[in-house]
Amino acid sequence: MMNVTLLPADTFVVINKTILTDYDKKLIINLYQPIIGSLTSNLYFSLWAYLDKSEIFSLEWPHHHLMTNMQLDLDTILSSREKLEGIGLLKTYYKKGSINNYIYELYAPLNAYEFFNNPILSTSLLSNVGQTEFEKMVSYYRLPNFNLAEYDNITCSFNDIYDAVNNPNLEYYGDIKTNNKGKIIITDKINLNEMLSLIPEEQLNLRLITKEIKNNILKLAYIYNFNNDQMQEIIMNSIDETKKIDMNLLKSNCEKYYKFENSGTLPTIIYKKQPEYLRKSISDTSKKSKLIYQFETVSPYEFLTSKNGGVKPSVSDLKIVAYLLVDLNMMPGVVNVLIDYVLKINSNKINRTFVESIASQWLRSNIKTVEEAMNIAGKEYKKRQNIKEVKIKIKKDVKKPDWFDKNIDVSDATLEEQEEMKKMLSEFK
């Protein structure tokens, strides 16, 4: 990624590389927005609005106009632009000059079938919305299952109805508008060619490995953070009787292997950050705003690591975090606040029972945002401090008996004192 400073005076032109339908717009809002956030999807539609009537390209505009139009600062626009690039909805081209020039190419989203069968996008969506909502989304786009077993296919072919033409036009028209979709670019975590070459030919037929299969292997390695040796072992266990990699079996084996190595948890969950749509728009530099930004923009894994002075969190701590995120479906930023609160009031120790009791209370209060979590934690902390102060005051106010903390003379009593004691005791008989 090229590091270029974006300025308000820099100009841009929007070029449309696709055909955007109402169905595509719904896909961006329903499937992409939970991952990229509302600001990023708004940037996509705002750039689309700059196109001319033919929806092919726009006039040249300064970025200052985009800032005014969206009521956003340039850093927010740049961050949103990078999210569009990363998820395959936008390509950016740059030309340096006294005033720098940019070209923004817009691409269509993947259709629902492509999206849910893309392991990176489907995993990202699952991590952001949770299992229940994810399953609802899948069912919304699922095709109805009609039983055609008792029907015959009587559809006509082209040559059944039409005659061949005498002078065919075989010219290729490559510049016609079509539904172009951007690709998600991933930095490879494994050396795929080297790894595949180490699998014996009698077990795997390399000629049957398509570009699509290679791309899926790279995506799975990225999601589960597998190295060459781990991925090779899983692939060897996912080859069918025709010496071809069974992709469904490969996906299943990747998940099983990861769960076995990570105590049943799903991948990437502890590394996720607070979803964009649940973040607070920071407009000042107060201490509270800075804290909110920190809780929202780091993952629970990163937060725990920072609390440990850069040391990787323990397995037990990560299990507690995974429980909060996966089982209780708490938001990552809220989990960060909870961890910080527990460390503060519990002598820097994360006790599972203690964490669960607080988490249950926050769930009943429907805490979703970092600000809500900070407010409820602040109230609870004040209550604890008040109770502590009251206990200290009560302890101070209790009147001690004359004999408390005093050195008592243990010498033998005189005869007079003994007689007086007998007289006092006789009154209680």
Side-chain angles (χ1 to χ4, degrees):
M1 182 176 70
M2 188 175 181
N3 189 16
V4 179
T5 302
L6 181 63
L7 299 172
D10 292 343
T11 63
F12 69 91
V13 172
V14 183
I15 296 177
N16 182 16
K17 299 293 288 186
T18 187
I19 300 169
L20 193 71
T21 65
D22 288 340
Y23 171 75
D24 293 319
K25 293 173 184 176
K26 287 182 180 179
L27 285 171
I28 290 173
I29 293 171
N30 293 340
L31 302 184
Y32 281 78
Q33 187 165 284
I35 302 172
I36 62 179
S38 59
L39 290 179
T40 304
S41 58
N42 281 341
L43 175 61
Y44 181 87
F45 292 123
S46 294
L47 291 175
W48 195 273
Y50 277 97
L51 296 171
D52 62 4
K53 291 181 180 179
S54 62
E55 293 195 344
I56 296 176
F57 58 87
S58 74
L59 299 175
E60 187 175 64
W61 294 90
H63 279 83
H64 183 268
H65 188 274
L66 185 61
M67 294 167 63
T68 305
N69 189 23
M70 296 191 69
Q71 289 293 296
L72 294 174
D73 59 73
L74 205 55
D75 287 341
T76 304
I77 289 174
L78 178 58
S79 173
S80 297
R81 191 196 81 191
E82 290 172 346
K83 290 176 185 177
L84 289 176
E85 293 166 358
I87 209 161
L89 293 174
L90 182 75
K91 283 186 181 179
T92 301
Y93 297 88
Y94 163 79
K95 185 173 74 172
K96 188 176 181 180
S98 56
I99 294 178
N100 299 327
N101 306 116
Y102 291 81
I103 291 177
Y104 295 141
E105 286 186 348
L106 294 172
Y107 288 82
L110 300 180
N111 61 42
Y113 175 85
E114 294 166 326
F115 186 98
F116 285 112
N117 285 286
N118 182 304
I120 292 176
L121 292 176
S122 59
T123 302
S124 298
L125 180 63
L126 173 62
S127 298
N128 278 288
V129 303
Q131 188 68 43
T132 303
E133 292 300 318
F134 181 79
E135 289 174 0
K136 283 183 183 178
M137 290 177 174
V138 172
S139 63
Y140 179 81
Y141 287 100
R142 189 166 268 142
L143 285 171
N145 185 19
F146 292 107
N147 185 5
L148 300 176
E150 297 179 359
Y151 292 79
D152 295 322
N153 186 350
I154 60 170
T155 308
C156 296
S157 63
F158 183 87
N159 56 312
D160 287 337
I161 307 301
Y162 304 99
D163 293 327
V165 295
N166 294 325
N167 299 307
N169 181 7
L170 300 179
E171 186 175 346
Y172 174 71
Y173 300 94
D175 56 354
I176 301 297
K177 285 179 70 174
T178 184
N179 190 247
N180 284 322
K181 298 165 185 175
K183 295 180 180 177
I184 296 177
I185 301 170
I186 300 170
T187 304
D188 295 347
K189 299 184 74 68
I190 59 174
N191 188 327
L192 185 58
N193 291 329
E194 177 187 311
M195 181 193 66
L196 292 174
S197 67
L198 295 175
I199 300 177
E201 288 184 16
E202 57 270 19
Q203 187 174 355
L204 176 65
N205 186 345
L206 293 177
R207 289 187 295 275
L208 297 177
I209 300 177
T210 63
K211 189 176 181 180
E212 183 183 0
I213 290 175
K214 286 184 177 181
N215 286 336
N216 278 326
I217 291 173
L218 292 173
K219 288 173 184 175
L220 289 167
Y222 169 80
I223 291 170
Y224 292 98
N225 200 29
F226 289 150
N227 58 32
N228 265 33
D229 292 338
Q230 291 170 318
M231 203 67 210
Q232 181 182 334
E233 179 186 341
I234 295 168
I235 288 174
M236 291 176 71
N237 290 322
S238 307
I239 300 171
D240 62 21
E241 62 278 359
T242 64
K243 298 183 181 180
K244 181 181 178 181
I245 298 173
D246 184 329
M247 285 311 302
N248 289 327
L249 185 58
L250 181 65
K251 291 176 184 177
S252 175
N253 285 340
C254 282
E255 183 177 335
K256 288 177 183 176
Y257 185 97
Y258 187 92
K259 282 185 175 180
F260 179 78
E261 293 291 322
N262 294 273
S263 305
T265 58
L266 289 171
T268 75
I269 292 294
I270 58 171
Y271 301 95
K272 288 292 173 189
K273 300 172 185 176
Q274 184 78 351
E276 193 76 33
Y277 72 98
L278 287 176
R279 294 188 188 184
K280 179 181 173 62
S281 179
I282 303 300
S283 56
D284 58 68
T285 57
S286 65
K287 185 178 179 181
K288 183 178 180 181
S289 292
K290 289 178 179 178
L291 275 173
I292 290 174
Y293 180 80
Q294 179 188 5
F295 287 134
E296 288 180 340
T297 55
V298 299
S299 69
Y301 181 90
E302 293 167 332
F303 187 74
L304 267 175
T305 302
S306 69
K307 285 293 182 180
N308 290 346
V311 178
K312 180 180 176 181
S314 67
V315 174
S316 60
D317 284 354
L318 289 179
K319 282 183 178 179
I320 292 173
V321 171
Y323 167 77
L324 295 173
L325 290 164
V326 180
D327 295 344
L328 300 186
N329 198 27
M330 295 184 76
M331 292 295 111
V334 174
V335 171
N336 286 339
V337 179
L338 196 155
I339 291 169
D340 191 57
Y341 175 58
V342 169
L343 290 173
K344 186 173 184 178
I345 65 175
N346 200 41
S347 305
N348 280 323
K349 292 181 290 186
I350 301 178
N351 178 278
R352 176 156 186 151
T353 305
F354 193 45
V355 168
E356 285 181 2
S357 65
I358 298 172
S360 298
Q361 178 197 357
W362 289 16
L363 284 173
R364 287 192 296 271
S365 301
N366 197 30
I367 303 299
K368 294 288 185 184
T369 69
V370 165
E371 190 171 25
E372 289 170 349
M374 289 176 67
N375 289 338
I376 194 171
K379 289 177 183 176
E380 288 300 316
Y381 184 73
K382 284 181 181 178
K383 280 184 186 178
R384 285 177 172 272
Q385 290 298 104
N386 290 337
I387 292 171
K388 189 176 179 181
E389 288 172 6
V390 169
K391 285 182 177 179
I392 292 171
K393 189 174 184 301
I394 291 172
K395 190 174 181 181
K396 285 181 178 178
D397 291 344
V398 172
K399 192 173 181 181
K400 298 177 183 178
D402 293 336
W403 49 264
F404 193 78
D405 285 344
K406 290 184 179 179
N407 291 324
I408 298 181
D409 188 2
V410 294
S411 57
D412 293 336
T414 62
L415 290 173
E416 290 180 0
E417 288 170 339
Q418 289 179 27
E419 286 296 324
E420 186 178 349
M421 182 66 69
K422 286 179 182 178
K423 185 178 179 181
M424 289 174 60
L425 292 173
S426 64
E427 295 177 5
F428 292 95
K429 289 182 180 179

